Amino acid sequence: MAAASIRPAAVAGLFYPHDERVLRTQLAELLATAVPLEAAPIPKAIIVPHAGYIYSGAVAASAYTSLAPLRERIRRVVLLGPTHRMAVRGFALPAAQVFATPLGEVSLSQADWLALQARPDVQVDDRPHALEHCLEVQLPFLQVVLERFEIVPLLVGDAPAAAVAELLEALWGGPETLIVVSSDLSHYHPYREAQWTDRATVEAVLALHDGIDHEQACGATPINGLLLAARRHHLHPQLLDLRNSGDTAGDRARVVGYTSIAFSDTELPDHARH
């Protein structure tokens, strides 16, 4: 568990370009063409998808463009996402102190890394993180839209929503802290069925109803925890984008759903919602 250990990029060249120049060009295009459904106030937290950029990058970009006014303010990003390759009890924190991408290295918040180890439901383990894509694919977006920041990367396994909310409370911070929950929506339904299913899921999130299940969203557990925390902090969710792979780069026989939702402490006036 070397203090200088680096978690190398695992899905560069698969989920997003491995070449730095190609990646920067793709990110610039995604961010420049992102048109959120609503004019979002400055967010405290966002839900964003984590598929390959050709599938969900445009949806994710609609959330990341809203961070532009916070470029110099955000110094700490709490990243929560589900485990796809290895079962975890509670939360998995990497032993590695740096995450690398083709755009450079991002350091972990050392103070948070040390403090989180006091929690009985947090395990320090590089293995769940080694090949996991859900947090990694968010990093290049963050590296482009923010100036300087540290991360608190946590994979969420078997944990109650209340425990996720409690962990978020401990990491909540002030305006320097952004919370990112990485999740896709439904998986492998026909196009129209997915649209209906995902719309219902998003409506539940917008109503801050924390009963999302894993058929609705692979990141249901961190989403539910965020919804509990959002209620406690009186945050207002706004839908920025809702599409699926049949809208972006795939066929419509079996699609995966994607959404971006921003949570802020400012509610949009009625006239701005239409």
Side-chain angles (χ1 to χ4, degrees):
M1 215 161 58
S5 59
I6 296 174
R7 189 268 190 191
V11 295
L14 298 171
F15 280 64
Y16 61 88
H18 190 274
D19 181 90
E20 178 186 356
R21 289 170 298 177
V22 176
L23 177 56
R24 286 190 184 278
T25 299
Q26 184 178 30
L27 288 166
E29 291 173 352
L30 289 169
L31 293 164
T33 55
V35 182
L37 294 174
E38 292 190 8
I42 293 173
K44 171 64 179 182
I46 55 175
I47 296 173
V48 283
H50 55 233
Y53 285 5
I54 64 165
Y55 295 104
S56 69
V59 178
S62 66
Y64 285 113
T65 54
S66 70
L67 302 181
L70 304 176
R71 180 173 178 81
E72 297 178 3
R73 184 190 305 175
I74 293 174
R75 290 288 180 260
R76 177 172 169 259
V77 181
V78 177
L79 289 155
L80 271 63
T83 58
H84 288 86
R85 293 175 172 271
M86 183 176 171
V88 168
R89 282 193 178 277
F91 307 93
L93 184 69
Q97 297 297 293
V98 171
F99 274 43
T101 81
L103 303 186
E105 297 179 349
V106 184
S107 296
L108 271 68
S109 167
Q110 184 72 15
D112 292 310
W113 185 80
L114 291 169
L116 283 167
Q117 294 177 51
R119 291 181 60 102
D121 55 359
V122 172
Q123 54 181 285
V124 177
D125 193 345
D126 277 331
R127 293 173 300 166
H129 287 271
L131 299 174
E132 179 57 56
H133 63 277
C134 75
L135 304 186
E136 179 184 327
V137 298
Q138 312 305 337
L139 294 178
F141 276 106
L142 291 164
Q143 287 172 296
V144 166
V145 299
L146 300 181
E147 193 168 84
R148 273 194 329 275
F149 64 97
E150 294 179 321
I151 56 172
V152 186
L154 287 155
L155 293 175
V156 183
D158 182 12
V164 178
E166 181 192 343
L167 180 140
L168 285 173
E169 193 66 39
L171 296 168
W172 199 259
E176 82 294 333
T177 298
L178 172 74
I179 294 163
V180 176
V181 171
S182 176
S183 180
D184 294 337
L185 296 178
S186 67
H187 285 57
Y188 310 131
H189 297 301
Y191 181 81
R192 291 296 178 196
E193 183 183 335
Q195 283 189 313
W196 299 329
T197 300
D198 294 340
R199 171 55 69 172
T201 301
V202 165
E203 290 299 333
V205 172
L206 295 178
L208 299 178
H209 292 162
D210 58 291
I212 309 301
D213 65 39
H214 290 91
E215 293 296 311
Q216 296 171 284
C218 55
T221 305
I223 288 174
N224 286 330
L226 174 61
L227 294 175
L228 288 175
R231 290 210 302 265
R232 186 179 303 155
H233 286 270
H234 307 291
L235 298 186
H236 304 280
Q238 253 111 35
L239 175 62
L240 303 178
D241 202 348
L242 172 59
R243 283 183 275 173
N244 63 51
S245 56
D247 298 311
T248 54
D251 66 55
R252 296 192 167 189
R254 296 170 76 245
V255 304
V256 178
Y258 314 120
T259 192
S260 282
I261 298 174
F263 295 76
S264 70
D265 56 13
T266 305
E267 189 169 17
L268 279 177
D270 287 341
H271 71 268
R273 294 174 175 271
H274 304 287

